[in-house]
Amino acid sequence: MYTTIIIFVELIPKIMLVQFHFENFKCFKDETKLSLVASNHIKDNVDNVIKTDNINLLKSVVIYGPNASGKTKLLNAFQFMRLMVERSTNNAVDRGFSIDNFRLSTESKESPSFFEVVFILDEIQYRYGFELTKKNILSEWLYKKEKKEKELFYREGKVIEYDSSELKRVKSLVEEDMIREDSLLLTVLAQFNDQLSQKIVKWFHHVNLLSADGSNVQSYTLDKLSTPMKQKIVRLMKDADFSINDFVRHPINRDEIQTLHTVYDENKLRVDETPFMLEDESNGTIHFLSLTAPILDTLDRGKILMIDELDSGLHHDLIVALLKLFHSEETNPHNAQLIFNTQNTNLLSSDLFRKDQIYFVSKNRYGEASLTSAADFMLRPGANLQKKYLEGRFGAVPYLKNMNKSFTSKKEEDNENRD
């Protein structure tokens, strides 16, 4: 007699970002596109490219720009779109949306905002987006592309066109007037168990978004210290040379985490370990610890990771090592993608990136932010990108030549007062 053993293998879905496109959000007045499509004209750093049957995508994108240029707002735009997809049906009737339009122009202050994302889910490319005001969804669309692009639904006001063979629940929802003007059709379909819509909403969940202060991720990492991921976190901290042997719960306050460090005797021989409170560690140590669980989760499951100010408190070499984790097929077998902003210009001279992986954010005199790819500039092979960036060749640097006038004027004013 034979015993049948069934082994369940969890399949990791292919979930990649192709392009994010938005308009009239915070400091971005005009159309803005962040593309992760790899240029066919750039041949270097082939390991940084994900090759698929139809399109080649970038494993990482870095965004540069001066303070208050819009680097964080760019990530906020995606965060807003994700929150709308997840929670649009939670809005109280007539309460409206907390959308922050570009407010420095009479032209855009009351104009609608636009959001669209192109992504790959289980080897199929989708394009989903919507246009909205502070009160209503003006339009919404979903397209599917295998060989040719096919419309799954298009909504304009109360009029909805849809493919009934792909979306079977739309008809009954429309007939029963279940689609509110302030709710996304995609969100409603997902709540009524439409499988494709649920998968697309879940795609947005697979984007890990980390804020600059780490407030939304430190607790996530600390929670993971009570799971099997702890071993990987400890290993990553050791490999990053933080001299932390382990993490333990405080013996009295079990909600607090302590770090264990080695104690040596007079002969520099290891004799014991001693605990430190987490707040006794440096800001860089705590920042890196906060990143470990999201990074491991992203690499293990082929997700998308967006980080605001990756370089905060971290050494240049450590950032380089983290980027290499994403660019290597060995450590990134599921084609995870990383999008981050930074002020570390040394990365531009480290041969880590192709030109199409580098973006610059800058603002004009009217407060309008714009996003430009380094691939849009005519550059000779081997050009020193760090030098050219610091020289202002790409824009996206602060104008500081008049800064000394503030002190000069004050000095002149003081002299006049003494006279």
Side-chain angles (χ1 to χ4, degrees), residues 3 39 90 96 98 106 194 196 220 240 242 255 267 272 277 306 312 336 358 361 365 380:
T3 302
S39 170
N90 295 345
S98 58
T106 56
D194 176 76
L196 176 58
Y220 173 77
F242 281 102
D255 292 333
N267 298 314
D272 201 355
M277 298 303 296
M306 297 183 179
S312 178
I358 302 168
V361 178
R365 60 183 296 186
R380 61 177 175 79

Side-chain angles (χ1 to χ4, degrees), residues 2-113:
Y2 297 94
T3 302
T4 302
I5 300 176
I6 301 176
I7 300 176
F8 293 95
V9 179
E10 183 181 7
L11 297 177
I12 297 176
K14 293 186 177 180
I15 40 177
M16 289 173 279
L17 177 62
V18 177
Q19 178 181 281
F20 175 52
H21 178 197
F22 67 98
E23 183 177 333
N24 193 17
F25 179 79
K26 293 187 181 289
C27 59
F28 290 90
K29 175 177 177 285
D30 298 322
E31 181 181 75
T32 302
K33 288 184 181 180
L34 178 68
S35 174
L36 277 83
V37 178
S39 170
N40 293 327
H41 303 293
I42 300 174
K43 305 300 181 183
D44 58 331
N45 286 0
V46 293
D47 289 341
N48 297 8
V49 176
I50 303 167
K51 295 183 178 180
T52 70
D53 293 337
N54 301 316
I55 191 171
N56 292 335
L57 299 174
L58 299 169
K59 293 181 180 178
S60 70
V61 160
V62 58
I63 303 164
Y64 284 93
N67 298 107
S69 61
K71 301 186 301 298
T72 298
K73 302 299 189 293
L74 177 64
L75 303 186
N76 289 160
F78 186 89
Q79 184 177 35
F80 176 83
M81 184 180 189
R82 184 175 73 172
L83 287 173
M84 281 294 301
V85 168
E86 294 174 349
R87 305 177 185 176
S88 69
T89 56
N90 295 345
N91 282 338
V93 177
D94 297 328
R95 190 177 67 182
F97 308 116
S98 58
I99 177 87
D100 189 1
N101 297 29
F102 183 79
R103 290 181 282 173
L104 301 182
S105 168
T106 56
E107 179 186 6
S108 60
K109 193 173 180 180
E110 301 301 328
S111 298
S113 298

Side-chain angles (χ1 to χ4, degrees), residues 149 234 369:
E149 194 171 65
V234 172

Side-chain angles (χ1 to χ4, degrees), residues 12 17 134 151 154 156 191 243 320 329 338 377:
I12 297 176
L17 177 62
K134 292 183 181 294
E151 180 185 291
Y154 186 86
E156 188 164 359
Q191 289 185 338
S243 302
V320 171
E329 289 187 12
L338 173 66
F377 294 87

Side-chain angles (χ1 to χ4, degrees), residues 328-374:
S328 168
E329 289 187 12
E330 181 179 358
T331 51
N332 186 11
H334 304 301
N335 294 321
Q337 292 172 295
L338 173 66
I339 299 166
F340 70 100
N341 63 49
T342 182
Q343 300 284 7
N344 185 346
T345 62
N346 289 325
L347 296 175
L348 292 172
S349 61
S350 57
D351 296 325
L352 275 171
F353 301 109
R354 300 152 47 101
K355 286 193 300 181
D356 51 359
Q357 291 179 271
I358 302 168
Y359 278 84
F360 304 105
V361 178
S362 57
K363 272 186 184 177
N364 63 19
R365 60 183 296 186
Y366 306 105
E368 301 167 353
S370 59
L371 182 68
T372 310
S373 169

Side-chain angles (χ1 to χ4, degrees), residues 98-162:
S98 58
I99 177 87
D100 189 1
N101 297 29
F102 183 79
R103 290 181 282 173
L104 301 182
S105 168
T106 56
E107 179 186 6
S108 60
K109 193 173 180 180
E110 301 301 328
S111 298
S113 298
F114 167 97
F115 299 86
E116 182 182 78
V117 65
V118 181
F119 58 96
I120 292 175
L121 176 59
D122 293 332
E123 301 184 356
I124 298 174
Q125 181 173 302
Y126 294 92
R127 178 165 64 91
Y128 172 72
F130 51 83
E131 187 181 27
L132 77 164
T133 64
K134 292 183 181 294
K135 292 186 176 181
N136 295 322
I137 307 295
L138 300 182
S139 60
E140 184 184 4
W141 54 91
L142 176 63
Y143 290 85
K144 172 183 178 180
K145 183 178 181 181
E146 289 175 289
K147 292 184 178 179
K148 297 177 68 175
E149 194 171 65
K150 172 185 177 183
E151 180 185 291
L152 298 185
F153 75 74
Y154 186 86
R155 166 192 184 184
E156 188 164 359
K158 293 186 176 182
V159 179
I160 301 176
E161 299 174 354
Y162 59 95

